[in-house]
Amino acid sequence: PTPCRSSRGSSRFSLATLSNMGERKVLNKYFPPDFDPSKIPRTKKADLNPNFVVRMMLPMSVRCMTCGEYMYKGKKFNSRKEDVEGPEGEYLGIKIFRFYFKCITCSAEFTIKTDPKNMDYAVEGGAKANFVPYKDEEKQRQEQLDAREASEKDDTMAQLENKTKDSKMEMDILDGLDDIRSQNARVARLEMDDVIGRHRAETERLQRIEDERARAAAEADAGELAAFAEQRVKRLKEEEPRPPAAATASSSAAAVGGSSGAAGKRPRLPPGMVVQPRGATPAGGASSSSGAAAGTSGAGSSSAAAASAPAGAGPRSPPGNT
């Protein structure tokens, strides 16, 4: 409805427009006292098996039997859905549905229906489902169960053997479960501090063992070296020749002189030079005076001092005191 304008130019709505706007927001409708629902005209029921379009994805990978096109699982289609009629339309009270698809290349139609027995989908026609490994394993397992039931039907011994195998398998499974439970309980009782303490103790024990081994190896090497050195010294002493007696005496005298010189810490004088000690009197007249003069003045030659001074007159002195 369009608003009507007054002479003043202001927009106003009609009464009918205001009433319609109010009814749109009312939740409760008004029913008159003489309302009879049986007088409402009824339409015919629609078809019990209608076909309506459903947007869905392929539940499995299929191949079109017309053109050979592969269509993979999860591809979206606008499929038609309908109920399966007849005795095949239900399984244990569960309704079975059929879906119609069209190939993406040749537009050929193929159908897929639900399979409540195996909790899966099954291809009816127009396409072929690709091989699925786990479905083949389930099929083989079911065939083995069927063969076992057929063998146990008339053979009592086979039935007894199968029961024995089943009981043994159950015992093995129970033993494995007990081991797992005990291991889990042991792990649950462990704490972080206990684990760290055990690790440290084990590390210290291994380090102690290594130290003992290293110490034993070092002692063994030291013993071998000492034995080798002792044998070598003994062999050298046996092979060394003995020196003559004169050489031994001269070497001992030299050793004694060297030790006394080293003890007195006096330098060695030139050969033929003798130093008189302080306060000592010379043995001869002219020779002693000449020796004393040479000793006090220090201007005489070394040869004259050696000739004037008597041999063995006193201990030796440094060269500055001549």
Side-chain angles (χ1 to χ4, degrees):
T2 58
C4 57
R5 296 182 178 275
S6 62
S7 59
R8 295 184 180 180
S10 61
S11 60
R12 295 180 181 178
F13 292 92
S14 62
L15 183 60
T17 303
L18 294 175
S19 63
N20 291 336
M21 291 180 65
E23 286 181 0
R24 284 194 307 109
K25 298 181 181 179
V26 175
L27 300 178
N28 298 325
K29 302 296 184 180
Y30 172 74
F31 295 96
D34 57 348
F35 176 73
D36 188 4
S38 60
K39 295 179 180 181
I40 298 175
R42 301 289 182 180
T43 57
K44 293 183 180 180
K45 292 184 178 181
D47 189 5
L48 296 178
N49 190 11
N51 291 333
F52 54 93
V53 179
V54 177
R55 182 75 172 175
M56 67 173 296
M57 294 184 293
L58 273 179
M60 64 189 74
S61 298
V62 297
R63 181 187 180 189
C64 180
M65 300 299 294
T66 304
C67 64
E69 178 69 21
Y70 284 97
M71 289 164 283
Y72 298 98
K73 179 180 179 181
K75 189 172 183 59
K76 294 182 179 180
F77 286 89
N78 293 325
S79 61
R80 291 185 295 110
K81 174 186 173 183
E82 70 175 8
D83 300 339
V84 178
E85 298 294 337
E88 297 180 355
E90 289 186 0
Y91 175 77
L92 301 178
I94 302 173
K95 195 68 177 177
I96 298 176
F97 301 97
R98 182 182 289 112
F99 301 93
Y100 294 88
F101 298 89
K102 286 187 178 181
C103 178
I104 58 176
T105 303
C106 63
S107 298
E109 194 173 58
F110 61 94
T111 59
I112 296 175
K113 69 176 182 179
T114 58
D115 186 9
K117 182 178 180 180
N118 299 320
M119 296 181 293
D120 201 357
Y121 291 85
V123 179
E124 277 191 322
K128 182 180 179 181
N130 294 341
F131 175 73
V132 182
Y134 74 88
K135 291 184 179 179
D136 190 40
E137 293 178 0
E138 293 177 357
K139 185 178 179 181
Q140 291 179 1
R141 191 181 300 109
Q142 187 64 32
E143 290 178 355
Q144 291 177 359
L145 292 175
D146 295 341
R148 177 176 175 176
E149 290 178 359
S151 64
E152 292 178 355
K153 187 175 182 180
D154 299 328
D155 192 352
T156 309
M157 293 299 296
Q159 185 176 3
L160 181 61
E161 289 177 358
N162 291 333
K163 287 184 178 179
T164 305
K165 290 180 180 179
D166 292 342
S167 62
K168 184 178 180 181
M169 186 179 298
E170 289 178 0
M171 292 177 64
D172 295 340
I173 292 172
L174 292 175
D175 293 341
L177 289 174
D178 292 338
D179 295 340
I180 293 172
R181 289 195 188 98
S182 61
Q183 185 177 2
N184 291 338
R186 185 168 58 254
V187 170
R189 287 195 300 268
L190 289 177
E191 295 182 358
M192 187 61 66
D193 297 337
D194 297 340
V195 174
I196 294 174
R198 292 181 182 179
H199 179 70
R200 289 179 178 175
E202 184 68 17
T203 305
E204 291 177 358
R205 186 181 67 83
L206 295 177
Q207 186 66 28
R208 197 180 305 110
I209 292 173
E210 291 294 333
D211 295 343
E212 291 178 357
R213 290 179 180 176
R215 191 182 302 107
E219 291 178 357
D221 295 342
E224 292 178 358
L225 290 175
F228 178 74
E230 185 178 357
Q231 293 178 0
R232 185 176 179 181
V233 170
K234 184 176 181 181
R235 189 181 303 167
L236 289 175
K237 287 182 178 180
E238 291 177 355
E239 294 177 357
E240 185 180 3
R242 292 185 177 181
T248 306
S250 62
S251 61
S252 61
V256 171
S259 61
S260 61
K265 295 183 181 180
R266 295 177 181 177
R268 184 175 298 177
L269 297 176
M273 183 178 293
V274 179
V275 180
Q276 291 288 346
R278 294 180 179 179
T281 57
S287 60
S288 63
S289 62
S290 63
T296 55
S297 62
S301 63
S302 60
S303 59
S308 60
R316 297 178 180 180
S317 64
N321 298 330
T322 55

